[in-house]
Amino acid sequence: MKVDSIGFVGTGAITEAMVRGLLTEPAYALEIHVSPRSAHIAATLADEFAAVRIAKDNQDVVERSDMVFLAIRPQVAEEVVRALSFRGGQMVVSLVAATERRALSEWIAADVHLVQAIPLPFVAGRQGVTAIYPPDTAIAALFDALGTAVQCQSRKEYDLLAAASAMMSIYFGIMEQVAVWLERSGLEKAKGQAYIAPLFASHAQKANSPGNEPFSALSREFATRGGLNEQVLSDFEKKGGLVALTAALDGVLARIEGRN
């Protein structure tokens, strides 16, 4: 299935990732219109893909697109969206983080079909998992083409997955900490990174293998009694690792829900 015309208001990293994923063969869109802001990214995409058109401005994106993605920072979202005129019935997908649906609808001020989504950078390689709300067949199909779509039945589900998506930086941060420790302990940095990256990748692959084995079961499986993995897990728990992680997720969720 192909969409005739998709537009992106905002041309940052997520827009670039989505455009690359959508135009990987077989391409999902016939035309993609991007806003001229972030001129370097827009020009790079237009040079690389014949289907990409650089619009005159954000309003031009809206007018030329059947499906419009709002890929803008929450700090400027209200100003940008209020300045746009949308068509009744137009499909609008908001990628704006930590922003209430009610606020988005007010800013749009038109009877559009509004869906919220949280695409991650991995959609560029069609390996991303994307939460969407409310459930929508067409938008789910698009994100299934970019990896996997998870359709949320409630705003609470969507907010919880949004909080979980904030784990990306700490995931890589843990890898960096291990690599730094290896280097400090005498291992060449490049060699440490060459070992750590596939090690973590294999863990993720195991967790994502068919069968949906609970994470707790995998943790027990890899923590041999009296072994080294069990020792690290025990130290992490005893020294406040789990408490800190839970508190961080609670804080992110509170921010998403507007409680702080």
Side-chain angles (χ1 to χ4, degrees), residues 41-53:
I41 294 177
T44 298
L45 292 172
D47 287 343
E48 190 170 339
F49 300 103
V52 173
R53 313 277 192 270

Side-chain angles (χ1 to χ4, degrees), residues 102-121:
R102 181 167 48 188
L104 288 164
S105 296
E106 180 186 338
W107 302 342
I108 291 170
D111 187 19
V112 301
H113 189 72
L114 178 63
V115 176
Q116 293 174 274
I118 314 169
L120 304 177

Side-chain angles (χ1 to χ4, degrees), residues 128-250:
V129 58
T130 304
I132 67 171
Y133 175 74
D136 184 275
T137 302
I139 302 304
L142 183 145
F143 283 112
D144 276 336
L146 298 178
T148 303
V150 176
Q151 301 195 63
C152 299
Q153 301 299 319
S154 68
R155 176 69 198 205
K156 184 67 174 182
E157 287 185 358
Y158 182 77
D159 286 347
L160 287 169
L161 293 183
S165 73
M167 289 293 296
M168 288 190 297
S169 183
I170 192 173
Y171 177 86
F172 291 112
I174 289 172
M175 294 172 70
E176 171 66 9
Q177 186 62 33
V178 175
V180 167
W181 177 84
L182 288 171
E183 184 180 17
R184 191 171 59 236
S185 301
L187 186 68
E188 181 185 343
K189 183 177 182 179
K191 191 169 291 184
Q193 290 197 185
Y195 180 82
I196 292 301
L199 175 68
F200 273 65
S202 61
H203 291 164
Q205 186 177 19
K206 173 68 174 177
N208 199 38
S209 60
N212 294 321
E213 193 171 357
F215 297 145
S216 58
L218 291 173
S219 181
R220 289 193 301 271
E221 178 184 338
F222 282 84
T224 304
R225 185 177 296 277
L228 303 181
N229 282 277
E230 184 186 58
Q231 179 179 334
V232 172
L233 177 61
S234 177
D235 282 349
F236 182 77
E237 293 175 343
K238 289 177 181 176
K239 295 180 180 180
L242 292 182
V243 172
L245 179 58
T246 301
L249 289 170
D250 286 341

